């Protein structure tokens, strides 16, 4: 059989290699890197790495007693904690009636000092007190008071060793 110039010969198809395998291998490396980064991001988002991770909740009677004070009778929204470390550091936060603040401070610190309204550090604090070791204790006390309304004030009480 002779071929005419217009006829074409069909090539025999042999199973050959495609480049898909190489392409997928190259694409797999960045995909695995991105997947690993996403996994690390999700793990980071769901772990508790807050600054206060070393603070454990404790009783307010214990926290205030460390600084020589007692929780006022009308206190609300109380939270107290103990910060871990070589020296104990207690912190208490609560709200109390604004009219009872002076009597509470006087009962806890009869020798003084008195509350002051100047040189309190933060501009948002309405009154503060810094006391050295109180009543034979070795604790220092810082009290910051912020008036929420005409009737209520928020108190932050910190007692620590020096």
């Amino acid at each position: 059989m002779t071929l005419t110039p217009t006829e074409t010969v069909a090539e025999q198809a042999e199973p050959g290699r495609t480049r898909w395998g190489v392409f997928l291998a190259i694409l797999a490396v960045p995909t695995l890197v991105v997947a690993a980064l996403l996994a690390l991001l999700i793990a980071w988002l769901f772990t508790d790495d807050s600054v206060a991770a070393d603070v454990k909740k404790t009783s307010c009677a214990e926290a205030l007693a460390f600084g020589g004070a007692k929780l006022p009778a009308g206190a609300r929204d109380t939270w107290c904690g103990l910060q871990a470390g070589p020296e104990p550091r207690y912190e208490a936060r609560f709200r109390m009636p604004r009219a009872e603040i002076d009597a509470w401070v006087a009962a806890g610190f009869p020798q003084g000092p008195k509350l002051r309204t100047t040189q309190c550090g933060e501009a948002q604090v309405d009154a503060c007190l810094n006391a050295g070791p109180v009543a034979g204790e070795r604790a220092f006390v810082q009290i910051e008071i912020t008036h929420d309304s005409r009737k209520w004030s928020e108190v932050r009480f910190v007692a620590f060793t020096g």
Side-chain angles (χ1 to χ4, degrees):
M1 174 171 182
T2 57
L3 293 175
T4 61
T6 57
E7 291 183 35
T8 59
V9 178
E11 291 185 26
Q12 295 183 358
E14 291 183 22
R17 293 179 45 114
T18 64
R19 293 191 175 108
W20 282 107
V22 174
F23 177 74
L24 290 176
I26 292 171
L27 190 60
V29 172
T31 303
L32 290 174
V33 169
V34 169
L37 290 174
L38 282 174
L40 287 174
L41 177 67
I42 290 170
W44 177 70
L45 289 174
F46 288 105
T47 55
D48 184 19
D49 58 348
S50 64
V51 174
D54 58 346
V55 175
K56 68 176 187 174
K57 199 168 184 181
T58 187
S59 75
C60 287
E62 177 184 343
L64 291 165
F66 188 78
K70 293 181 181 178
L71 190 66
R76 294 185 181 176
D77 302 330
T78 59
W79 178 90
C80 298
L82 171 61
Q83 184 175 6
E87 298 290 329
R89 178 183 168 91
Y90 287 91
E91 183 174 345
R93 292 179 185 265
F94 54 90
R95 291 177 33 146
M96 67 179 291
R98 187 173 177 174
E100 298 174 12
I101 289 176
D102 289 330
W104 175 71
V105 170
F109 308 98
Q111 291 87 12
K114 305 290 184 208
L115 281 175
R116 64 179 186 269
T117 57
T118 59
Q119 299 176 346
C120 288
E122 293 184 31
Q124 300 145 343
V125 176
D126 295 311
C128 61
L129 175 142
N130 291 327
V134 197
E137 298 289 327
R138 57 184 192 143
F140 291 87
V141 174
Q142 295 174 341
I143 299 174
E144 295 176 347
I145 298 171
T146 306
H147 302 306
D148 288 347
S149 66
R150 285 187 279 153
K151 292 186 177 186
W152 290 94
S153 295
E154 182 178 336
V155 177
R156 179 177 178 259
F157 179 94
V158 179
F160 57 94
T161 56

